Amino acid sequence: MKSRGELKSAGRVIIKIGSRLLAEDTDARVAVLAAETRALRDRGVDVVIVTSGAIALGWRRLGYPEKPRTIPGLQAAAAVGQGHLIHAWQTALGAHGLAAGQVLLTHDDVRNRRRYLNARLAFSELLRAGAVPVVNENDTVSVDEIKFGDNDRLAALCTSLIEADALVILTDVDGLYDGDPASGAKLIPEVRDIDKEAVAVAGSGSTGGFGTGGMASKVQAAKIAGRFGVVTIVASGRRERPVTSILDGGDAGTVFWPSVSRLQSRKHWIAYALKPAGSLVVDAGAKKALVDGKKSLLPSGIRRIEGRFGAGDPVRVVDESGAEFARGLCAFDADEVEKIAGRRSSEVAALLGYAAAEEVIHRDDLVLL
Ligand code: GLU
C-alpha cells in the first residue's frame, strides 16, 4: 500500500486503544468502538482489538491513592482491572451480536516459536468463528524479561501473529506533530521513512500517568509493523468512526507507510519478537560480507562476544563502533563462539573437538536491521 485510497483494501485490521482514552469513560468509549467494529465486520473486515486499561481500571478499585509504582502493585491492579475491562468489551460487543475472545499474552508467547505458532492458531480460530479477539498483555504475570513493555509494541507484534493488513493506534492526539502542538506545530499526514521523518519529532511523549506509551512508542510500533509490510495509522480515538473514515481514505491521523523490505514472518520474529541474549562484535570485512554480500556470518570475522547465550539463542550483530546492524540466531553457544572467534572455518572442528556447521549465524537466520 502506498496511498490512502488503497487502505480500503485492508481485510484484517488491528485496532489498538490506549489507557488514557479508555479510562475517561470506559463503557461509553468501548460501546462506540464496538459499534464501529460491527460496521467494519459488516463490510468484511476482520477486527482484532488490542486494549489497554487494565491497570488504569484496577488501581482505584483496590483503594490505592494513585497508580502503583511497584511491580506487585501493578500486577494486582491489572488483575482487578482486566476483569472489568473484558466485561466492558463483552457487554459492548455482545450488544452487536459479537463474541469477545479474551487473549492475554506475555512476551514469551511471541518469543518462543512453538508458543507463537500456537497463539497464531488461537487467533485464526477465533476469527474464523466470527469472534473479536480482545488482546492485552497478561500484566499480572508479566515481569521484566517476559514483558512487552507497552501495548503499542504488543499490537505491532500482533500484526505478524494475525497477518494484519493495517494497524490503527487510537490515542488522544490527532497523530504525529512536527513539534509541540501547543505552540502551533502541524500534523504530519504521512511518514515514508520513519527514521528520518518521525523518530526525532516523536520525543519521549508524556502519557500523563495513564498508559506507558507516548508518541515515541507509537513510532517504534509503526516501525515494527512496517518491517512486516503493515501500514500503521496513529489517529485520535475521539473522532467519530475513526477507523472507518481512515479505511475510506479520509485524511485523519498520521499514516506510516511500510518500508519496502517486507520480512517474512520468521525473520520478523527473529528481528523483533525475540530479545537478544548477547552480542557478536564483528570486523569491517564481516560486516561488508553480511550487508553487501548477503552472506552468512563465519567465525573468522568475529572479534569478540558480549553476554552469555546458548546455541540457537538470538544475538545482536554489532560492528566495532558498537552499532548494531543485524540480528540472528547463533548456531553456537557463547563458549563455543569464544573458541572459534577469529579462526578459519576449516579449523572449527579441531578447535571444538567435533564436526560443526561453518556458519555462526546462517543467512536464513539473519536479519539486517
Ligand atoms: N497493559 C497495560 C494495561 O492494560 C497497558 C500498557 C500500555 O498502556 O501500553 O493496563
Side-chain angles (χ1 to χ4, degrees):
M1 284 190 214
K2 288 196 177 65
S3 70
R4 285 189 184 245
E6 290 174 69
L7 291 170
K8 230 188 222 75
S9 67
R12 189 168 279 188
V13 177
I14 295 185
I15 304 173
K16 185 263 171 181
I17 175 156
S19 297
R20 198 197 274 246
L21 278 176
L22 277 175
E24 287 169 356
D25 187 350
T26 313
D27 292 339
R29 189 70 68 192
V30 166
V32 167
L33 218 61
E36 181 162 29
T37 300
R38 174 79 264 175
L40 289 166
R41 285 288 303 274
D42 289 345
R43 52 190 254 184
V45 179
D46 283 341
V47 177
V48 171
I49 290 169
V50 174
T51 179
S52 302
I55 293 166
L57 292 180
W59 62 261
R60 284 189 192 81
R61 291 183 163 91
L62 278 172
Y64 294 157
E66 55 174 17
K67 182 178 166 184
R69 291 171 209 277
T70 64
I71 301 268
L74 291 167
Q75 289 172 312
V80 171
Q82 181 63 31
H84 287 274
L85 190 58
I86 195 64
H87 178 71
W89 283 108
Q90 272 170 340
T91 308
L93 288 166
H96 294 280
L98 293 169
Q102 173 174 256
V103 182
L104 297 178
L105 295 172
T106 64
H107 197 268
D108 248 2
D109 298 311
V110 296
R111 177 168 62 173
N112 174 313
R113 186 73 179 162
R114 198 169 56 82
R115 291 176 68 157
Y116 172 89
L117 294 173
N118 217 22
R120 216 164 134 130
L121 287 177
F123 275 112
S124 106
E125 178 59 15
L126 280 167
L127 290 169
R128 193 202 57 74
V132 180
V134 176
V135 186
N136 195 2
E137 179 157 12
N138 195 352
D139 293 302
T140 303
V141 296
S142 301
V143 285
D144 293 340
E145 70 279 11
I146 59 161
K147 222 173 163 36
F148 288 100
D150 64 72
N151 275 13
D152 297 320
R153 184 176 161 80
L154 168 65
L157 287 166
C158 283
T159 62
S160 104
L161 266 175
I162 68 147
E163 282 164 28
D165 300 308
L167 165 63
V168 181
I169 298 181
L170 296 178
T171 181
D172 61 345
V173 290
D174 282 326
L176 178 68
Y177 282 84
D178 61 2
D180 181 1
S183 37
K186 284 202 290 294
L187 183 75
I188 303 175
E190 312 202 22
V191 172
R192 293 197 185 267
D193 182 329
I194 293 183
D195 287 325
K196 288 207 187 100
E197 300 164 39
V199 172
V201 291
S204 59
S206 150
T207 57
F210 284 94
T212 45
M215 196 48 77
S217 86
K218 290 169 183 44
V219 168
Q220 283 310 314
K223 197 169 160 174
I224 294 173
R227 288 301 301 277
F228 194 57
V230 177
V231 59
T232 297
I233 304 98
V234 176
S236 169
R238 296 188 208 277
R239 292 180 176 233
E240 204 170 321
R241 299 265 160 129
V243 184
T244 310
S245 78
I246 288 163
L247 295 188
D248 284 343
D251 61 2
T254 301
V255 183
F256 297 80
W257 297 109
S259 55
V260 282
S261 53
R262 183 181 178 133
L263 298 172
Q264 316 151 348
S265 148
R266 183 169 176 281
K267 289 220 168 179
H268 192 267
W269 172 76
I270 291 172
Y272 296 109
L274 300 177
K275 289 189 182 167
S279 304
L280 306 180
V281 182
V282 305
D283 63 22
K287 181 173 181 181
K288 193 164 162 22
L290 297 184
V291 175
D292 301 334
K294 310 272 179 258
K295 297 273 187 356
S296 297
L297 178 64
L298 302 178
S300 56
I302 300 174
R303 302 299 288 253
R304 58 174 197 284
I305 67 164
E306 284 160 10
R308 304 310 299 170
F309 46 85
D313 276 352
V315 291
R316 295 185 192 86
V317 184
V318 303
D319 64 20
E320 287 177 282
S321 73
E324 178 184 7
F325 65 92
R327 279 191 189 182
L329 303 180
C330 187
F332 297 95
D333 68 27
D335 292 337
E336 292 170 318
V337 181
E338 252 160 12
K339 284 188 198 143
I340 61 177
R343 310 297 284 265
R344 275 208 289 272
S345 299
S346 57
E347 297 175 276
V348 168
L351 288 163
L352 295 178
Y354 41 84
E358 60 170 355
E359 298 91 2
V360 176
I361 301 178
H362 191 278
R363 188 75 218 170
D364 292 346
D365 295 333
L366 184 92
V367 189
L368 297 174
L369 299 176

